[in-house]
Amino acid sequence: MAGVSCCWDVPWCFGGDFNITRFPNKRVGDTHFSHAMTIFSDLIFKPDLIDLQMAGGDFTWSNGRAWSRLNRFLVSACWEACFPDLSQKRLLRMCSDHYPIMLDCGGIIRGHRYFKFENMWLEEEGFVDRVRSWWSSHSFSGTPSFVLASKLKALKQDLKKWNVEEFRIMENERKLLLQQLKSLVDSELLGDISNEELERKKEVVAELLKITLMEEIYWSQKSRVLWLKEGDKCTKIFH
């Protein structure tokens, strides 16, 4: 990595599971520096990378008995200069031993949004029936081509309005579910959780996974990466 980064004088960002802690206090029960920790620090210092502070918690991996800081983003100084509000945050985990890490670069400047059919809509229960109902509710007079064009235009407005309302509700639901999950996880860590709360935790995770699937479909379509298939996507991208 150090050799490659020296070949191109451009902003660099490395991220992922490095499978090593940098300091002993970033692994519960560890008190001494290891040789691997020294090598990892050299990896950061030689290319002049910056180990960003992380908000949201100290550890990024746990199997319920051990806790470690394995996941992080490392950026070059010129990358940090491009994004003055750069930060990394630990998010809530759902079904993995690893906590997801988000690199926040300060937001995206959005331009004019044109209409397009979102594949994630198909994951919403009752969507086809809803479209059929909208289509039947519109009536126009004229040539067949004019009627078709007019109904499509009216349907587009129905879809745009529904998309804004439905997924604004979904975003609020996501926030509430994350709050519930955090509360349940905190109770679980303290050993003060009932069987009913454990069942509720499973339900919350299932609902969050459904919302996450729809977001994944949305960003996959937006990226226009046509070869991206189901499975281990990260491995395919890196290969």
Side-chain angles (χ1 to χ4, degrees):
M1 289 171 64
V4 171
S5 64
C6 291
C7 296
W8 289 282
D9 185 20
V10 294
W12 281 87
C13 174
F14 300 100
D17 173 16
F18 289 88
N19 203 32
I20 182 66
T21 56
R22 187 178 175 192
F23 303 108
N25 64 349
K26 295 304 180 182
R27 182 176 182 177
V28 172
D30 207 347
T31 57
H32 298 89
F33 275 93
S34 67
H35 182 59
M37 291 180 187
T38 303
I39 293 175
F40 187 44
S41 291
D42 287 343
L43 168 70
I44 296 172
F45 285 126
K46 286 182 179 178
D48 292 324
L49 297 176
I50 299 169
D51 188 7
L52 298 168
Q53 290 292 322
M54 186 176 66
D58 293 327
F59 305 106
T60 63
W61 174 89
S62 173
N63 60 4
R65 300 179 301 275
W67 299 80
S68 299
R69 167 77 185 280
L70 303 179
N71 308 70
R72 56 178 21 94
F73 284 99
L74 304 171
V75 302
S76 62
C78 50
W79 177 287
E80 188 182 38
C82 294
F83 305 100
D85 299 324
L86 190 67
S87 64
Q88 63 176 338
K89 302 174 183 177
R90 191 189 78 173
L91 308 180
L92 280 171
R93 62 178 181 169
M94 288 182 278
C95 55
S96 172
D97 289 342
H98 292 266
Y99 288 83
I101 307 297
M102 179 178 69
L103 184 66
D104 189 344
C105 298
I108 302 172
I109 300 175
R110 303 186 182 275
H112 177 69
R113 297 180 63 183
Y114 62 91
F115 176 82
K116 65 178 181 299
F117 185 91
E118 299 287 356
N119 294 333
M120 66 175 179
W121 292 342
L122 297 172
E123 298 296 323
E124 183 68 16
E125 186 175 350
F127 173 72
V128 174
D129 292 334
R130 185 177 283 107
V131 171
R132 185 180 292 114
S133 175
W134 286 330
W135 184 264
S136 301
S137 68
H138 299 299
S139 178
F140 297 93
S141 300
T143 63
S145 59
F146 172 79
V147 171
L148 176 62
S150 299
K151 293 188 76 169
L152 285 172
K153 186 175 182 179
L155 179 62
K156 180 176 75 171
Q157 296 305 317
D158 291 331
L159 286 168
K160 289 174 70 174
K161 181 180 178 182
W162 171 78
N163 181 63
V164 171
E165 294 174 351
E166 182 70 20
F167 291 97
R168 182 182 296 149
I169 294 172
M170 182 176 291
E171 180 60 29
N172 292 335
E173 183 183 359
R174 175 195 178 98
K175 292 177 181 178
L176 290 173
L177 288 169
L178 285 172
Q179 290 175 0
Q180 290 182 41
L181 181 60
K182 185 178 186 307
S183 176
L184 291 167
V185 168
D186 290 343
S187 297
E188 189 176 22
L189 289 174
L190 294 172
D192 183 25
I193 187 169
S194 64
N195 291 332
E196 291 79 9
E197 288 175 319
L198 284 172
E199 288 300 316
R200 178 53 187 162
K201 180 187 172 186
K202 293 179 182 178
E203 294 173 1
V204 169
V205 168
E207 293 173 31
L208 280 169
L209 286 174
K210 180 183 176 182
I211 294 174
T212 303
L213 172 63
M214 297 183 75
E215 290 181 340
E216 180 182 329
I217 294 171
Y218 171 79
W219 287 109
S220 177
Q221 181 180 355
K222 197 174 184 68
S223 71
R224 301 181 184 178
V225 180
L226 302 180
W227 53 264
L228 199 59
K229 303 297 182 183
E230 293 297 325
D232 192 350
K233 299 177 180 62
C234 289
T235 303
K236 285 182 178 292
I237 286 176
F238 289 130
H239 277 280

